[in-house]
Amino acid sequence: MTEQLTLFNFPATETIKPIHDPYWDEIVLDEVIPDTISLSVEPRVGEQVTTDTKKSAPQHDTQNQWLEKYWVERSGSKYWYYRYMWMDGRKLHRVYIGSVNSPKAREKKSAVESAIADGQTPQEIQKLIRFWRNNNDKM
């Protein structure tokens, strides 16, 4: 009767000796090593070259302030709004301006765009937006 093999009961086997084939050394040295050791400064196809260490999104201007149109979903419908955004260091700040459908919000949006173009600081633009809020959105 033959004995059933278990996890810890193996028959004695020969040890397998590794065989060295120089053919595989040539393939590995020719194909793998040049790619891993590549010290080329030239960019590869599709690779972006950046010389500026300060990275910013395309909508950002040099003052790190911009207007954004965004949406909120409620009850399966999208509602679109405008907001003023600026960066303070690495902190992102947002201030609600109004609905895209509102004529007052469109006027505020154009006023904020003009203020950004005039080079006003985020603090000055915040005061302008607070003024509208405190005066019941009168422009």
Side-chain angles (χ1 to χ4, degrees):
M1 182 182 249
T2 60
E3 185 179 329
Q4 183 176 355
L5 298 176
T6 63
L7 184 61
F8 301 106
N9 186 12
F10 295 106
T13 60
E14 296 179 21
T15 58
I16 300 173
K17 296 180 183 177
I19 300 172
H20 182 264
D21 188 356
Y23 172 77
W24 294 106
D25 290 339
E26 291 174 16
I27 291 176
V28 171
L29 293 175
D30 290 342
E31 295 178 10
V32 177
I33 293 178
D35 287 340
T36 58
I37 300 180
S38 176
L39 299 176
S40 174
V41 179
E42 298 176 14
R44 295 180 179 167
V45 176
E47 188 176 350
Q48 291 182 342
V49 179
T50 56
T51 56
D52 189 12
T53 57
K54 294 181 180 178
K55 296 179 181 177
S56 61
Q59 71 268 21
H60 300 184
D61 62 0
T62 56
Q63 297 176 343
N64 289 331
Q65 53 183 341
W66 65 96
L67 277 166
E68 181 178 73
K69 182 179 173 182
Y70 70 102
W71 59 270
V72 175
E73 186 171 350
R74 287 191 210 104
S75 303
S77 299
K78 284 186 180 179
Y79 297 93
W80 290 89
Y81 300 98
Y82 293 118
R83 65 182 166 198
Y84 168 65
M85 300 180 70
W86 73 97
M87 294 285 293
D88 183 20
R90 294 183 68 184
K91 175 88 170 127
L92 181 65
H93 300 275
R94 301 174 185 92
V95 176
Y96 170 81
I97 293 178
S99 172
V100 172
N101 300 324
S102 167
K104 286 184 182 180
R106 287 193 293 266
E107 289 176 18
K108 291 177 192 176
K109 174 189 173 268
S110 62
V112 171
E113 284 176 331
S114 298
I116 292 171
D118 290 341
Q120 291 186 15
T121 65
Q123 292 76 21
E124 293 170 331
I125 296 173
Q126 288 175 55
K127 286 180 186 177
L128 179 65
I129 295 171
R130 275 193 225 117
F131 173 77
W132 294 329
R133 285 187 187 157
N134 294 337
N135 293 311
N136 297 323
D137 291 332
K138 294 179 187 173
M139 289 193 67

